[in-house]
Amino acid sequence: AQSVAQPEDQVNVAEGNPLTVKCTYSVSGNPYLFWYVQYPNRGLQFLLKYITGDNLVKGSYGFEAEFNKSQTSFHLKKPSALVSDSALYFCAVRAVNAGNNRKLIWGLGTSLAVNP
Amino acid sequence: NAGVTQTPKFRVLKTGQSMTLLCAQDMNHEYMYWYRQDPGMGLRLIHYSVGEGTTAKGEVPDGYNVSRLKKQNFLLGLESAAPSQTSVYFCASSYEDRMGEKLFFGSGTQLSVL
């Protein structure tokens, strides 16, 4: 069965420190992988995606994520956290050959709190 | 260019009442989705559409119906609301090219069923 795990419900970091939000997945075949961010009382916004190619993907707001096929992980990272990065982060996955099966598999989300 | 617009933003229903949530997108996207978001449950797909005139069931379709009569609109109906349908509902639209898919979300509808 396809699944996405975000093992940490909450991550706390100090402003200026590096941050990591973890995601591991299980999918049949090659995956499309995504990170989305949700600010309070807002819809989700796309951050970045891995389709193919370079394992290090750069996205919006200085975020990046590293695809690790052997560990089936796609951790989100940022070198220097900002207070404004505080939000809910979602990882999602879809099999490459899903065709018209539009079902993204979503993680439960990780709440990131960046302390001043 | 408004993106994805959901109406209404808030609604309170009594058990058994019906309502329709409207989603409109102005990006000419083929794919549209309805999700619900509940604490501890993440996002769950209710129904989706791969084009005008098409609909398909997601993970949690029971108690909901949808229609996509026009490409830009995707309607979610609750025929007889139940307290278990208290949730935040998000509509999304997307396109897919060789670079993959990117979803655009509306700002959500907070629904309470008493």
Side-chain angles (χ1 to χ4, degrees):
Chain A
Q2 299 182 106
S3 64
V4 173
Q6 294 181 240
E8 301 155 318
D9 291 337
Q10 180 148 347
V11 171
N12 295 294
V13 298
E15 188 174 27
N17 282 1
L19 70 87
T20 299
V21 183
K22 295 179 180 178
C23 173
T24 59
Y25 66 90
S26 172
V27 68
S28 302
N30 293 320
Y32 289 155
L33 294 156
F34 306 85
W35 277 102
Y36 284 80
V37 60
Q38 185 179 29
Y39 298 100
N41 301 312
R42 301 289 298 276
L44 280 71
Q45 297 178 30
F46 173 84
L47 270 182
L48 52 78
K49 62 186 174 186
Y50 171 82
I51 304 301
T52 187
D54 194 348
N55 289 343
L56 185 64
V57 179
K58 294 189 182 296
S60 306
Y61 312 121
F63 284 92
E64 58 188 28
E66 186 167 11
F67 170 60
N68 187 318
K69 188 172 184 178
S70 63
Q71 297 186 2
T72 61
S73 67
F74 190 56
H75 300 331
L76 182 69
K77 300 181 179 184
K78 187 172 183 180
S80 179
L82 300 172
V83 172
S84 57
D85 293 329
S86 299
L88 191 57
Y89 290 81
F90 289 94
C91 181
V93 65
R94 184 162 73 90
V96 168
N97 298 320
N100 264 347
N101 180 351
R102 311 306 305 179
K103 298 177 186 179
L104 275 176
I105 309 300
W106 294 86
L108 296 183
T110 298
S111 178
L112 173 67
V114 181
N115 306 307
Chain B
N1 190 334
V4 178
T5 303
Q6 288 182 235
T7 53
K9 294 189 183 303
F10 302 94
R11 187 71 185 268
V12 178
L13 292 177
K14 294 181 180 178
T15 297
Q17 286 185 318
S18 63
M19 78 163 294
T20 300
L21 282 69
L22 172 64
C23 177
Q25 54 99 359
D26 60 2
M27 296 171 283
N28 201 35
H29 287 168
E30 288 294 332
Y31 311 124
M32 296 189 74
Y33 309 81
W34 276 106
Y35 285 94
R36 59 178 290 174
Q37 184 178 31
D38 303 287
M41 304 290 287
L43 282 170
R44 292 183 292 170
L45 182 63
I46 304 171
H47 286 279
Y48 64 98
S49 169
V50 299
E52 182 178 315
T54 75
T55 63
K57 294 180 180 180
E59 303 170 70
V60 288
D62 294 342
Y64 305 95
N65 57 75
V66 287
S67 64
R68 184 118 180 252
L69 299 179
K70 294 183 178 180
K71 187 177 184 179
Q72 63 267 34
N73 296 336
F74 194 31
L75 278 63
L76 178 71
L78 286 73
E79 292 182 346
S80 179
S84 60
Q85 294 177 305
T86 293
S87 186
V88 180
Y89 291 84
F90 287 100
C91 176
S93 70
S94 76
Y95 69 92
E96 185 168 15
D97 57 21
R98 64 179 183 85
M99 297 304 292
E101 182 179 24
K102 182 176 176 179
L103 270 70
F104 295 79
F105 283 82
S107 57
T109 296
Q110 175 75 59
L111 175 65
S112 295
V113 182
L114 305 178

